[in-house]
Amino acid sequence: MKGKKTLNKTSKNNFITMGGLLLVYVIVLILKEGGITTNLINGQLVPICAYMIMAISLNLTVGILGELSLGHAGFMSVGAFGGVFVGTLMQEVSDSKVLCLLVAVIAGGLMAAVAGLLIGVPVLRLRGDYLAIVTLAFGQIIKSIVNILYVGLDSEGLHVSFIEKCEVLDDGKLIISGAMGATGIRKLSTFTFAFIVLVVCLIVIFNLIQSRTGRAIMALRDNRIAAESVGINVTKYKLLVFSISAAMAGMAGTVFAYNYSTVAPTKFDFNTSILVLVFVVLGGLGSIRGSLIAAALLTLLPELLREFSDYRMLVYAIVLILVMLGTNNPKIRDFFAKMFARKKTAKEENANG
Amino acid sequence: MDKGKIHEVISESIIPERDQNKRPVLECSHLGITFGGLVAVDDFNLTVGATEIAGLIGPNGAGKTTAFNLLTKVYQPTRGTILLDGQDTRGMSTMQVNKAGIARTFQNIRLFDKLTVEENVKIGLHNQIKCSTVSSILRLPNYWKTEKEAHEKALELLSIFDMQDMADYKAGSLPYGAQRRLEIVRALATNPKLLLLDEPAAGMNPSETAELMENIRKIRDTFQIAILLIEHDMNLVMGICEGIAVLNFGRIIAKGSPEEIQANPTVIEAYLGKKKED
Ligand SMILES: Nc1ncnc2c1ncn2[C@@H]1O[C@H](COP(=O)(O)OP(=O)(O)OP(=O)(O)O)[C@@H](O)[C@H]1O
Ligand SMILES: [Mg+2]
C-alpha cells in the first residue's frame, strides 16, 4: 500500500503541475482574446514558453543528472538557426505554416541533439567544474561560428560561406547573415504552438524521471561509484541526458526564433545560459514545477520593471537576491509550508518517522 | 619461496567440501596495485568456493578495501589476474564486472540518498528488469508491466531484512544499521554470483550484529551464492566464515579455517595481538 502511495505522490504532483499550467494557458488565452493583456505581454508569451522549455531541459542536466552546464544557450542557438534554415527550405515546398514550423522545430531539436552528442562524447570523462568550463566554451564557440556564418538560397541552390558574405542572385535571399543572424523570418510561432511544444517536453521529462532510465540517471547523480557498482552504464545515460536536454533546448530555440523577424546570434550568448541557470537554481534543483514558475516570472519581471527604466537591472538583481534569501530562509519556508499545511505535515511525518 | 607455500597449502583447504567439485566463483592470482610508491596490495591470491562464506580480515590500512576495489575494478589492478566463475575480468569496467556477477557494499555507505528505499532497490534491479527509454516515455504496456514487476521484486528483496515498511522513506534518512542492510539488498538485486560486504556490521549493536549473521547465512542458503566479507568484528567473522584470509601491509599472511586462524602465531602477532589491547 505504501509503495503505491509514493508513485501516486509524484504522479499527483506532476498532474498538479500540468493542470496548473493548462489553467494558466486557458486564462492567458482568454485574457489575450479579450484584449485585456497589453501588447508587451502578448509579445512575451512565446519567449516565456521557450524559456520554460530551456529551464526544464537544463534542469534535466543540472538537477536530475547533477552535472553543471554553462552552455545551454549554445544548443538553443543551434536549434534557432538550424530550425530557421530548415523551415525556410520547407517554405519552398509547402504552404502550410504549421507544417513548416513543425518540421523546423523537429529539425532544430535534432540538430541540437547532435550537437549535444558531439560535446557529450569528448567531455564524458570530465566532471563538475571541468565539465562546466567545457560547456561554457562550447556556448562561446557556437556563438562565434554563427557570427561568421553566411547561408544563402537562390535559384542556383544553397550557398554557404564563412567570414565573407556569399553572393546570392536577385531571386534568392540570405537565410543567415553573420552577426546579423537570421533575417526575414516569417513569424510562424504562436502562443498555442509554443505551449504545445512545452507540454510535450514536460510530459517527456515527467515520464522519463519516473522510469528505469530516470532512476539510473538519478543514481548517477546521487552516487556515481555505487551506480556503476550495480551495473549502470554511466556513458550511455550521460549521453542520453545530454542529447535529450540539448534537443529540447534546440526546439525552444526554433520556437523562439520564429517569434521574431530577425534573430542575432548574440541572443544566445553566455548571459542567456546563465539566465536559464538562474531559473533552474531559483526554482529548485530537480524541481520541474519550480523551473517553470521561475522561468515565467523572471522573463516577465524585466518587462514589468520597465518603469524603473535605468534602474531596471538593479531592481531585478535585488529581487533575485531577496527571493534567493527568502527561499533559503527556514522561517519563510515554514510560513509557506503552513499555508499548504495538511499535505506538508503528512509528508514531514513520513520523512522523520 | 614463502609465498608459494602459503598459496599452495592453504588455498585448497579453505574451500568448503561441498564446493570442492564445483568451479570456484573467484580465483585471484598475484593481484596487486601500487599507488605512487605505496604498494597497497601485493601478490594477492585467493580462491572462493561457489557457495562459500569467506572472510578477509586484517588491521586498519592493510589493504582490504583496496582488494575489493580491485575485484570490482574501481581501481584497475597493476598486475595479476581475476577469474570470476572461470571468466577473466581483465579490461572490464565496474559496470561490466557487476553484470558478470560481482556485487558489493561499501565501507563508507554509498546509497542513493535522495531516492527512496524502494527506488534504491529498483536501481539494483536495473539489469534484471529492463524497459527501454522509448517505452518509458511513451508509457507503452511494457513500461507498466516492468514497473509492477520491479515494485514486487523490490518489496520481496526488502523482506529479507524485514524492510518492506520502509520502502517509501528516503534512503538518506534511514538509521545507520538500516542503511547498511539496504546496501546489501541493493547489491543482491543485481543477482550476483559473489557478494562482497565491506564491514557490514560496522556501527551495529551486538543484537543487530547477531541478526545480521543469521541473515548473511540465510542469503547464502536461499540465493546459493558466495559471500566474501571484510569485518573487524571477530565474533561475526569467526562465527560465520568458513575460510578466512588475513591481510597485513597489502599481503596475505595466512589463510585457513577460523580455528586455524585463531591459533596462527603470525596472525596473533599482526592482528589479534593488537586487537586485545583495546
Ligand atoms: N586511492 C588511493 N590512493 C593512494 N593510497 C590509497 C588509495 N586507496 C587506498 N590507499 C592506501 O592503501 C592502504 C590500504 O587502504 P585500505 O582502505 O584498503 O585499508 P583497509 O584494510 O580497508 O583498512 P580499514 O580497516 O581501515 O578499512 C592505505 O595505506 C591507504 O592509505
Ligand atoms: Mg577498509
Side-chain angles (χ1 to χ4, degrees), chain B residues 33-36 38-41 56-69 75 107 198-199 230-232 247 249-250 271:
Chain B
I33 189 168
T34 310
F35 295 119
L38 179 87
V39 182
V41 171
L56 182 61
I57 63 172
N60 290 112
K64 305 178 296 293
T65 299
T66 306
F68 272 19
N69 285 336
Y75 303 138
Q107 180 173 358
D198 199 342
E199 304 201 9
I230 296 174
E231 189 46 74
H232 286 295
L247 206 59
F249 296 115
Y271 190 88

Side-chain angles (χ1 to χ4, degrees), chain A residues 2-3 6 207-208 210-213 215-216 219 222-223 225-233 237 350 353, chain B residues 95 98 106 110 112-114 118 122-123 126-127 129-131 133 136-137 139 143 147 168-169 186 190:
Chain A
K2 273 202 166 169
T6 340
N207 285 358
L208 190 72
Q210 275 197 81
S211 74
R212 168 178 177 266
T213 308
R215 286 191 293 267
D222 279 5
N223 203 311
I225 291 181
E228 280 180 272
S229 86
V230 293
I232 285 171
N233 189 335
Y237 287 106
N350 243 347
Chain B
M95 173 210 35
N98 175 262
F106 296 88
R110 289 175 176 274
F112 308 122
D113 286 342
K114 296 194 195 107
E118 182 179 333
K122 281 180 175 169
I123 291 166
H126 186 78
N127 289 316
I129 300 173
K130 294 195 178 184
C131 176
T133 305
S136 303
I137 288 176
R139 291 284 193 259
Y143 166 82
E147 281 296 301
D168 281 353
Y169 299 150
R186 182 182 67 187
T190 68

